[in-house]
Amino acid sequence: MKLSWLTLVVVLIAVGIVSMLVGVTQLSLAQVVDTLFQGGDYDFVVNQYRFPRLLLAIGVGAGLGVSGALVQGVIRNPLASPDLIGVSAGAGFAATLLLTIYPDAPVWYLPLAAIFGGVSVGLALVIIAQAAKLPPARMALTGIAISAFLASGIDFLLVVHPIEINTAMIWLTGSLWGRGWEQLPYIWLGLAILLPIAYGTHGDWISSALVTNLPLLWVCNSKRYR
């Protein structure tokens, strides 16, 4: 397991270095290092574009990976993901509703709305599953139905509010375009609060999903989960 984590870290560092070097403006490693610490001719490209977006991408990737691992543990299916049970659709619907009704909302309203929407759908699914005593497979099917319903709601909002469609679509599809240091505290503050909670409560699920052959692990432990 330690070797797997080390491999992931090495790959992450390698990809990060490449992302700092490659682009419209090709830079050498020495130029990037000098610019990071001393500024210079490429200060805007490195310190305002590439470096903050690299940190944002790492943070978003970490959040997506952990959320997927948690969902796989709950559903007990290696193919499960937050969009499978409607959490992503709930977050997207809440954010789209905010953008269409209040297009001039401060940037920090968006993550709050998305968290509220995702948590609401997750809690609703848990309540339904417990009330109906749904097994993991039927819980996943219920989540798919909720996700489809919310996706139709998102489409309805985009049709009714065509002027705000561009902002909403950019947010829904996800992009690092136009992102920088301003957005960085939101993602990393959230990770600093939520990752320790996730690892403290379900660290075994996360480690298994991220660094092992999860399908094999799931098959081997299927009897225990039953």
Side-chain angles (χ1 to χ4, degrees):
M1 183 172 292
K2 290 183 178 180
L3 181 59
S4 300
W5 278 110
L6 180 61
T7 302
L8 289 175
V9 172
V10 171
V11 172
L12 177 62
I13 294 174
V15 172
I17 292 174
V18 172
S19 69
M20 294 290 289
L21 303 179
V22 178
V24 176
T25 303
Q26 302 286 341
L27 301 175
S28 65
L29 183 59
Q31 288 175 320
V32 171
V33 174
D34 289 340
T35 304
L36 284 173
F37 291 100
Q38 301 177 7
D41 297 336
Y42 303 105
D43 180 74
F44 191 77
V45 173
V46 173
N47 292 323
Q48 302 303 320
Y49 275 145
R50 296 184 183 178
F51 190 51
R53 292 180 185 180
L54 171 62
L55 297 178
L56 279 171
I58 293 173
V60 172
L64 291 174
V66 171
S67 63
L70 290 174
V71 172
Q72 289 172 358
V74 172
I75 303 298
R76 298 166 191 170
N77 190 319
L79 300 179
S81 62
D83 60 319
L84 179 68
I85 60 175
V87 173
S88 297
F93 178 80
T96 304
L97 184 63
L98 176 66
L99 288 171
T100 53
I101 295 178
Y102 186 18
D104 297 326
V107 65
W108 60 273
Y109 278 27
L110 276 176
L112 292 180
I115 291 173
F116 175 78
V119 171
S120 298
V121 172
L123 289 176
L125 183 60
V126 170
I127 293 172
I128 294 172
Q130 290 182 347
K133 297 181 180 180
L134 299 177
R138 291 189 178 180
M139 183 178 178
L141 291 175
T142 304
I144 292 174
I146 295 175
S147 180
F149 173 77
L150 291 174
S152 63
I154 293 174
D155 292 339
F156 172 78
L157 289 174
L158 295 179
V159 171
V160 174
H161 301 273
I163 297 178
E164 292 82 11
I165 189 172
N166 289 332
T167 304
M169 289 301 297
I170 291 175
W171 195 91
L172 288 172
T173 56
S175 174
L176 293 176
W177 179 84
R179 302 294 180 260
W181 295 108
E182 181 183 356
Q183 290 78 27
L184 206 59
Y186 300 110
I187 180 65
W188 283 102
L189 180 61
L191 290 175
I193 296 173
L194 298 177
L195 283 184
I197 297 175
Y199 271 94
T201 55
H202 302 294
D204 53 341
W205 290 354
I206 299 171
S207 298
S208 298
L210 294 180
V211 300
T212 63
N213 189 336
L214 185 60
L216 179 60
L217 178 71
W218 179 67
V219 171
C220 293
N221 291 318
S222 59
K223 294 184 179 179
R224 184 182 67 181
Y225 286 131
R226 291 174 188 169

